Amino acid sequence: MKPQNKKNPPLERATMHDIASRADVSLGTVSHVINGTAPVRDVLKKRVLQAIDDLGYQPNHLSRGLRRNQTNLIGMIIPDIMNPFFPSVVRGVEDMAYKASYRLLLCNADNDVQKETAYLNDLRSFLPAGIILIPSLDHKIASQGAGPPVVCMDRVPKGWKGDSVTVANEAGGHAAAEHLIEMGHKIIGIVRGPSNVVTAEERVTGFVKAMKAARLSISPEYIQEGQFDRESGYTCTLRLLNMLPRPTAIFTASDLMATGALAAIKASKLKCPDDISIVSFDGLAFTELTEPALTSIFQPSYQLGYTAARLLLDRINGEDFPPQNVMLDTELKIRDSVRRI
């Protein structure tokens, strides 16, 4: 004969009252075991935990959040889930949040202000403990007011007066130009990001400043605007390759655009770095595997997310200090895509 299952069939949704009845303890004892609000004798705790297991109890975090006016959720909105830069950022946030017993709710805004605004409103209705936002292209989010604390990360909208965590984009662009100049390049093209994204603007600003400091000029037509994606990297690079004189080097404002630039160089029967050198920005892991391996400005994506989550948790825990604007350093990673001329 088959052994009998001593567990009762799980209820449609077990409650704390069901657990108290099955364990033959008070409702308060169940609450203390689940929430850790007071010590419970081992013998009673074991009965409660056994009842939870038998009944398949799952706590209703939303109901608990309504009682406390806050859940253990952290909302996060990113502009483009397909961009390989963002998964590492999200992982940094998730790791820090999980350590502190918070859970991450991720939303993808597709660089769409209306979609981003809808997600912000929806997240607030879920009573999150806090929100981390990488704003879309032209979102002018209001500074911190009522509601859960918000930390802006990577991109900081104009007028934002709350907490933020960014990287040194301008310094990174400056370092990219200095490296190309030191390697002997004077005619340089730029494949930049969208003009209404602050990170893209900062990278170009730093690059142009370094050019001016070296008494080199760059004509406007040698600065092509892309969209931080492979396709625009390809088309913008093709335009630069048709310039006269043709640039000897190109700075792409993201690694993803650099892959498009490499494809454009190959399609034009040219070689990198023999004919055209490339420096990109991001320093993602795959840049070591491209042909050639890309020289790139590394930005600490994981640390960006981890730091933003840590700052948000400080706010959630009631820390009252002036708005923090944390800026992380970038670093030039020299590989094989730049030739000395």
Side-chain angles (χ1 to χ4, degrees):
M1 294 179 63
K2 294 182 179 180
Q4 296 295 318
N5 187 351
K6 295 182 179 181
K7 292 184 181 181
N8 288 346
L11 300 178
E12 183 173 338
R13 186 175 186 91
T15 67
M16 291 172 63
H17 288 279
D18 298 323
I19 296 169
S21 176
R22 186 174 182 86
D24 193 22
V25 297
S26 70
L27 185 61
T29 298
V30 175
S31 177
H32 290 321
V33 171
I34 292 175
N35 297 311
T37 48
V40 176
R41 285 189 296 142
D42 285 345
V43 63
L44 297 182
K45 185 175 182 179
K46 287 179 180 178
R47 280 162 42 190
V48 170
L49 293 176
Q50 185 61 52
I52 288 173
D53 183 53
D54 291 346
L55 296 172
Y57 172 75
Q58 294 291 329
N60 190 326
H61 292 293
L62 183 57
S63 296
R64 187 182 301 175
L66 288 170
R67 292 194 297 272
R68 299 179 178 178
N69 202 33
Q70 177 183 300
T71 66
N72 71 332
L73 297 174
I74 289 177
M76 182 176 183
I77 304 176
I78 63 174
D80 181 9
I81 201 169
M82 297 300 290
N83 188 319
F85 168 72
F86 292 115
S88 180
V89 177
V90 174
R91 182 59 186 267
V93 172
E94 195 271 340
D95 281 355
M96 184 68 221
Y98 190 83
K99 285 181 182 179
S101 299
Y102 288 87
R103 301 297 178 259
L104 189 65
L105 185 59
L106 183 65
C107 304
N108 172 56
D110 287 324
N111 278 312
D112 184 323
V113 176
Q114 291 184 338
K115 189 174 181 182
E116 183 178 290
T117 302
Y119 273 137
L120 273 171
N121 293 334
D122 289 343
L123 284 174
R124 288 182 174 126
S125 73
F126 294 149
L127 302 177
I131 295 174
I132 293 176
L133 172 65
I134 303 178
S136 59
L137 302 184
D138 54 0
H139 195 165
K140 297 177 178 62
I141 182 173
S143 61
Q144 182 65 54
V150 176
V151 173
C152 280
M153 180 174 59
D154 187 42
R155 309 170 181 177
V156 180
K158 292 180 180 179
W160 174 250
K161 297 179 181 178
D163 296 319
S164 65
V165 181
T166 59
V167 298
N169 288 289
E170 185 171 323
H174 198 280
E178 284 186 323
H179 179 62
L180 289 175
I181 293 166
E182 192 274 330
M183 295 294 281
H185 295 273
K186 296 180 180 180
I187 304 173
I188 304 172
I190 299 176
V191 178
R192 57 163 295 159
S195 57
N196 55 351
V197 176
V198 63
T199 53
E201 196 64 36
E202 289 169 347
R203 292 169 195 178
V204 172
T205 298
F207 196 95
V208 172
K209 282 184 178 179
M211 293 279 285
K212 288 181 177 178
R215 298 185 178 180
L216 296 174
S217 62
I218 181 166
S219 300
E221 62 268 23
Y222 281 80
I223 303 177
Q224 296 289 320
E225 183 172 333
Q227 295 296 322
F228 284 141
D229 58 21
R230 186 180 187 277
E231 293 75 16
S232 63
Y234 182 89
T235 55
C236 290
T237 299
L238 285 180
R239 294 191 199 108
L240 289 172
L241 295 178
N242 287 321
M243 298 287 183
L244 291 176
R246 189 176 69 199
T248 62
I250 294 174
F251 169 57
T252 66
S254 79
D255 289 341
L256 203 54
M257 287 197 289
T259 63
L262 288 172
I265 291 169
K266 184 177 180 180
S268 301
K269 309 299 183 184
L270 299 171
K271 291 184 178 181
C272 175
D274 297 350
D275 302 303
I276 305 289
S277 294
I278 292 180
V279 174
S280 62
F281 200 109
D282 281 336
L284 301 175
F286 74 79
T287 56
E288 297 184 59
L289 306 176
T290 55
E291 183 58 43
L294 284 166
T295 292
S296 186
I297 301 296
F298 170 79
Q299 56 172 330
S301 54
Y302 178 89
Q303 195 63 34
L304 185 70
Y306 196 90
T307 303
R310 186 173 58 195
L311 179 55
L312 182 66
L313 288 170
D314 286 343
R315 291 297 187 192
I316 292 170
N317 293 329
E319 295 288 346
D320 186 18
F321 42 73
Q324 301 294 296
N325 305 114
V326 181
M327 181 177 289
L328 305 179
D329 291 333
T330 54
E331 180 185 355
L332 174 66
K333 299 282 188 179
I334 298 176
R335 298 195 181 100
D336 306 323
S337 61
V338 177
R339 178 177 72 95
R340 183 180 294 277
I341 62 171

